Amino acid sequence: MRAYTPKDDVQAKSYYTDRFYVAPQVPKQDVLSDEVFTADLEAIKAKFEVLEAYIQVEQMVVYINAKDNVDVIKLVKEELDYTQLSEMSAIDWIAKSGQFEIFYQMLSMGKRKRIRIKCFISKDEAINSVEKLFRCADWSEREMYDMFGIEVNNHPFLKRILMPYDWEGYPLLKTYPLEGDEFAAWYEVDKIFGKEARDIIGPEIRDTARVDRYDSERFGRLGHEVPKGTKITGNEPKTPLAYQEEGGVFLIDRFDEEKSVIITDRNR
Amino acid sequence: MQHQNRLRPFFENITFDRDDNEMILNFGPQHPSAHGQLRLMLHLQQEMITKAHPDIGYLHRGMEKMAENMIYNEFMPTTDRMDYIASSSNNYGFALAVEKLIGLEVPRRAKVIRMLLLEINRLMSHLFWLATTALDIGAMTVFLFAFREREYLMDLIEDYCGARLTHAAIRIGGVPLDLPDNFIADLRRFLDKLPENIKDYEDLLDTNRIWRMRMEGVGVISKEMALSWGCTGPMLRASGVAWDIRKEEPYELYSEVEFKVPVSDKGDNFARYRIYMEEMRQSAHILYQVADMYEETIKNNQTDLMAHAPKYISAPKIDIMTQNYSLMQHFVLVTQGMRPPVGEVYIPTESPKGELGYYINSQGGPYPYRLKLRAPSFWHTGILTDLLPGHYIPDVVSIIGTTNIVFGEVDR
């Protein structure tokens, strides 16, 4: 019987895990162990609901409700001095709970502290844009939309950014295979020549190391080149290395493999 | 039968002549001064840009997706392909993030060698920046001068790890090799000459009328705009924010070396140029100190190059070849990969271009569950949307030059 592979997460899996292996945790500290973070968390808690908060690897992580995201980031930016949004993106938890986790990585240069504000949205939900607070979110949110298909409300220009505009599927979803889906495999062929050319052109060869010794048209026969279309017997003489026309070029010597030197000493 | 040729370009979104006399110009993606694969759609009134729309993604290789399907050590050479002008910086950022996730302490000599590599990479990157930007503006001599020095540095790196561009010279938990015998002597010889070389570049550029006209007062980024757009590195420091992660949140041995952080409040192209030049001097200053540190580690007989953590890091080669348990560990770590604890980290480092951050979410498996690459150039490209309007066409080239964007990093 073939081994069962889950369809909701097609990424690489460890082929062996000890039955009794319990993964250790990166230690989490209480927010109270740091004065600056305690004050920041109090300020957020005073106005918004905080689901969870802890310190991990010297940065505070705060979980909030997704509907508060703009207001919390506004508060954090304007009152708590977190003046830069370093990064934001999403994590796909659809296989586990049907949700996306969205994180905003913020930096306070005055306090030399970094916090991460996180929230969950369900698969079909949209998130509000923070582009009005940080211009850099314009591109980050586009990237998030491009990679996960998460819709962003009030975004000025929500279009794909890295993938082509007419792409189908969202590459960073766990359901999207690494080698791409059928659309990805035939994208260029469909677009340039049409679907009817698929049979003529054939699938792409993904093995980069493949050398066809009977192929007289590509690079497989380096050093033993033959004219295009020649039938290959396997006894072709070695092509001498020569990079110039027979007559030579004015002022430039013809390259001669025999006379060439390999320089090994930099200080020569 | 004649097939319809679908390769023929179509211009449904590019109009060359409209009622309001606006011209829409397509700049790139193949343009010598686009520094890679940048496509810009520029709306023009006469020669003035009214609207700019950078279009990226021509070098997108899906590195974040690849990371989710690779064991941690496997991903290291892939990071080289981000900012390929200074690839050790990318290796280092990733190694540091995984080390923080595991909670690993790296031996002193490995740290010193990493510092050397990082600063050599910074010099390489800044020299490359100077060369290409000067060439874009028309200063061919500077290009040749700067590439001469960069060549020397690439030879140094080649002496160390055998590669010139994609080094993969740093491992999670340390460095793979000790420095070759004459490395420090060669480095010192280079550093002794570097001030003269920088002086040469400055003599050619600082009072050059064309250079100043193309640079001064062009591409002014205000402090607010730089912060809002997530600018980091020289882009931020040229706009009056004294923020260098090496200084403010020191990692590795940056707390032990003495250096200055150049800042300017002008925010224009010329300010950025001055900052790059000054940073090169500071890097040289750091390298002198680190070279001394390396000699100290020899004196103190600190020979370890990799951290000792059998659960995550393979033992030294000699143990693998002689000790049964080390060999078993090595086999498991190579075939299955290390399994960092469950948790997440975001680790920023100061790469030559700005803040290079690695966000890793680990679920205890040998593959990262999510890895987000925070590449500085991504936002330094985004800022062109707001920066270019109001400038003229020739300014586009000098502005793109001074933003120092590298498309391996923008598109990942």
Side-chain angles (χ1 to χ4, degrees):
Chain A
M1 212 170 85
R2 202 187 302 151
Y4 172 74
T5 47
K7 302 291 179 290
D8 52 4
D9 183 355
V10 293
Q11 306 311 304
K13 296 277 181 312
S14 173
Y15 67 87
Y16 175 76
T17 303
D18 189 285
R19 271 201 291 166
F20 304 106
Y21 177 72
V22 180
Q25 300 277 331
V26 179
K28 292 175 186 172
Q29 288 89 32
D30 194 29
V31 178
L32 292 172
S33 62
D34 188 298
E35 291 170 21
V36 182
F37 285 150
T38 313
D40 290 346
L41 185 64
E42 285 309 314
I44 300 172
K45 267 186 176 167
K47 286 185 184 164
F48 304 100
E49 188 189 355
V50 171
L51 305 175
E52 200 190 345
Y54 54 84
I55 298 176
Q56 199 171 40
V57 198
E58 296 153 37
Q59 294 174 11
M60 180 164 72
V61 183
V62 182
Y63 283 89
I64 55 162
N65 287 318
K67 62 175 169 46
D68 296 334
N69 73 331
V70 179
D71 296 329
V72 171
I73 286 170
K74 191 174 172 149
L75 171 92
V76 161
K77 180 194 176 189
E78 284 165 9
E79 289 171 32
L80 304 180
D81 189 34
Y82 286 86
T83 47
Q84 219 174 12
L85 177 66
S86 306
E87 177 62 287
M88 64 151 296
S89 193
I91 306 169
D92 173 4
W93 294 110
I94 293 173
K96 194 176 141 202
S97 60
Q99 286 176 309
F100 286 113
E101 184 175 354
I102 293 173
F103 65 90
Y104 298 88
Q105 178 73 39
M106 320 254 324
L107 162 67
S108 165
M109 291 176 178
K111 301 176 183 171
R112 293 187 194 176
K113 291 282 183 194
R114 289 173 191 269
I115 60 172
R116 192 154 51 243
I117 294 169
K118 304 182 99 181
C119 58
F120 285 99
I121 57 168
S122 70
K123 205 172 72 177
D124 314 314
E125 240 176 306
I127 187 93
N128 289 325
S129 170
V130 297
E131 187 267 335
K132 290 278 175 299
L133 300 168
F134 292 102
R135 276 293 280 137
C136 66
D138 180 348
W139 274 35
S140 307
E141 282 166 353
R142 272 179 74 186
E143 193 190 337
M144 183 170 81
Y145 165 73
D146 191 359
M147 292 293 141
F148 292 94
I150 299 172
E151 302 272 347
V152 183
N153 295 333
N154 308 326
H155 191 282
F157 188 70
L158 193 64
K159 277 211 169 198
R160 286 188 180 269
I161 187 165
L162 293 172
M163 305 302 286
Y165 285 167
D166 55 355
W167 196 259
E168 284 173 22
Y170 298 99
L172 272 180
L173 291 179
K174 292 284 177 189
T175 48
Y176 197 92
L178 178 68
E179 60 276 8
D181 53 11
E182 200 205 327
F183 175 83
W186 295 103
Y187 177 71
E188 285 95 350
V189 172
D190 286 357
K191 198 170 159 125
I192 298 172
F193 303 102
K195 271 205 167 89
E196 62 278 9
R198 281 188 185 189
D199 288 340
I200 305 165
I201 292 169
E204 181 191 357
I205 298 164
R206 290 278 181 123
D207 181 1
T208 47
R210 200 179 98 121
V211 175
D212 182 357
R213 57 186 292 250
Y214 297 107
D215 181 355
S216 65
E217 293 176 17
R218 278 169 270 251
F219 300 115
R221 303 190 52 78
L222 202 63
H224 298 271
E225 287 90 347
V226 289
K228 185 179 172 183
T230 314
K231 262 220 170 330
I232 289 167
T233 58
N235 300 320
E236 279 73 26
K238 196 170 186 306
T239 324
L241 269 180
Y243 300 129
Q244 274 178 27
E245 302 84 345
E246 217 31 71
V249 178
F250 177 58
L251 276 183
I252 300 173
D253 284 340
R254 191 181 163 84
F255 173 74
D256 185 352
E257 201 185 356
E258 301 299 313
K259 286 187 198 152
S260 61
V261 214
I262 295 170
I263 300 168
T264 48
D265 181 14
R266 186 191 314 149
N267 304 315
R268 140 194 119 106
Chain B
M1 191 188 81
Q2 184 79 44
H3 282 283
Q4 187 195 355
N5 181 6
R6 295 184 203 213
L7 279 174
R8 185 185 300 148
F10 63 98
F11 298 107
E12 66 183 31
N13 51 1
I14 306 175
T15 6
F16 287 102
D17 201 7
R18 295 204 317 208
D19 295 344
D20 52 1
N21 214 14
E22 187 183 58
M23 177 173 170
I24 302 178
L25 180 74
N26 180 42
F27 178 102
Q30 265 80 35
H31 189 282
S33 70
H35 288 227
Q37 309 291 319
L38 170 66
R39 181 182 178 210
L40 273 175
M41 310 272 265
L42 302 171
H43 294 232
L44 303 171
Q45 282 289 350
Q46 311 296 339
E47 280 221 16
M48 188 190 269
I49 294 150
T50 51
K51 214 173 134 195
H53 174 69
D55 185 10
I56 60 168
Y58 290 91
L59 205 58
H60 179 56
R61 291 149 294 177
M63 283 195 183
E64 289 164 16
K65 185 74 173 179
M66 284 156 78
E68 288 173 19
N69 290 277
M70 282 183 181
I71 63 173
Y72 288 83
N73 279 318
E74 226 178 339
F75 186 59
M76 185 60 83
T78 314
T79 59
D80 280 335
R81 275 81 182 162
M82 277 173 66
D83 175 5
Y84 42 77
I85 305 301
S87 45
S88 294
S89 312
N90 307 319
N91 299 155
Y92 176 72
F94 180 61
L96 185 69
V98 180
E99 283 155 15
K100 291 268 177 169
L101 192 64
I102 301 171
L104 209 60
E105 187 56 33
V106 175
R108 171 118 183 143
R109 184 180 286 198
K111 281 189 177 178
V112 173
I113 295 173
R114 284 170 167 205
M115 289 274 286
L116 281 172
L117 291 174
L118 287 179
E119 289 308 316
I120 289 176
N121 270 273
R122 192 178 310 278
L123 276 177
M124 275 166 66
S125 168
H126 283 10
L127 284 168
F128 185 88
W129 169 82
L130 180 70
T132 49
T133 308
L135 186 67
D136 286 347
I137 305 226
M140 185 86 184
T141 319
V142 181
F143 169 77
L144 295 171
F145 278 12
F147 259 54
R148 185 186 59 195
E149 272 72 71
R150 179 166 174 267
E151 190 66 18
Y152 195 103
L153 289 170
M154 299 226 293
D155 283 350
L156 271 181
I157 293 272
E158 190 182 357
D159 282 352
Y160 176 65
C161 66
R164 292 160 64 80
L165 207 62
T166 48
H167 311 143
I170 290 170
R171 297 282 180 278
I172 298 165
V175 286
L177 298 159
D178 201 358
L179 294 181
D181 289 339
N182 49 357
F183 188 91
I184 294 286
D186 283 347
L187 178 67
R188 285 229 170 87
R189 202 140 49 96
F190 172 79
L191 292 177
D192 290 342
K193 262 197 80 187
L194 187 67
E196 287 170 40
N197 295 326
I198 297 178
K199 180 99 189 354
D200 281 350
Y201 315 143
E202 288 182 343
D203 285 349
L204 283 167
L205 296 176
D206 268 2
T207 49
N208 184 323
R209 204 154 58 96
I210 302 170
W211 181 260
R212 289 193 86 113
M213 277 165 74
R214 299 286 301 269
M215 289 296 201
E216 267 179 329
V218 175
V220 180
I221 302 177
S222 69
K223 190 176 166 181
E224 292 70 35
M225 189 175 166
L227 286 172
S228 173
W229 260 107
C231 286
T232 44
M235 288 278 278
L236 186 62
R237 291 194 282 278
S239 298
V241 184
W243 179 262
D244 187 324
I245 299 171
R246 294 178 293 169
K247 201 82 172 174
E248 309 294 332
E249 301 171 309
Y251 50 92
E252 218 59 58
L253 300 172
Y254 281 111
S255 51
E256 293 179 28
V257 292
E258 184 219 320
F259 65 100
K260 290 197 197 79
V261 178
V263 187
S264 165
D265 54 1
K266 293 277 196 301
D268 60 354
N269 281 348
F270 197 74
R272 290 193 276 279
Y273 154 70
R274 290 303 316 156
I275 282 183
Y276 281 114
M277 300 308 270
E278 201 48 45
E279 277 194 9
M280 278 200 257
R281 291 207 172 85
Q282 295 302 326
S283 278
H285 187 48
I286 295 174
L287 278 170
Y288 273 122
Q289 301 173 48
V290 181
D292 292 342
M293 281 182 182
Y294 180 76
E295 276 154 4
E296 261 168 49
T297 60
I298 298 178
K299 224 179 282 165
N300 302 340
N301 204 22
Q302 293 160 317
T303 49
D304 281 353
L305 291 176
M306 290 290 277
H308 179 72
K311 265 174 84 180
Y312 305 111
I313 312 285
S314 290
K317 196 81 179 171
I318 186 149
D319 286 356
I320 295 174
M321 302 306 263
T322 53
Q323 312 284 313
N324 192 13
Y325 192 75
S326 298
L327 179 63
M328 285 157 61
Q329 275 295 349
H330 180 64
F331 181 76
V332 171
L333 285 174
V334 169
T335 54
Q336 294 182 22
M338 67 166 84
R339 293 165 196 255
V342 180
E344 50 177 20
V345 286
Y346 173 80
I347 300 299
T349 53
E350 184 79 22
S351 91
K353 311 276 184 301
E355 176 182 326
L356 176 69
Y358 283 82
Y359 169 84
I360 302 177
N361 187 317
S362 158
Q363 291 301 308
Y367 306 96
Y369 189 79
R370 172 89 170 97
L371 190 139
K372 181 81 183 82
L373 306 161
R374 191 254 187 238
S377 296
F378 184 72
W379 286 280
H380 295 171
T381 314
I383 199 171
L384 295 176
T385 320
D386 291 354
L387 186 56
L388 289 183
H391 286 92
Y392 293 91
I393 292 212
D395 297 337
V396 175
V397 173
S398 61
I399 291 173
I400 294 175
T402 51
T403 51
N404 197 9
I405 45 183
V406 165
F407 271 78
E409 194 174 62
V410 176
D411 296 341
R412 286 155 295 166

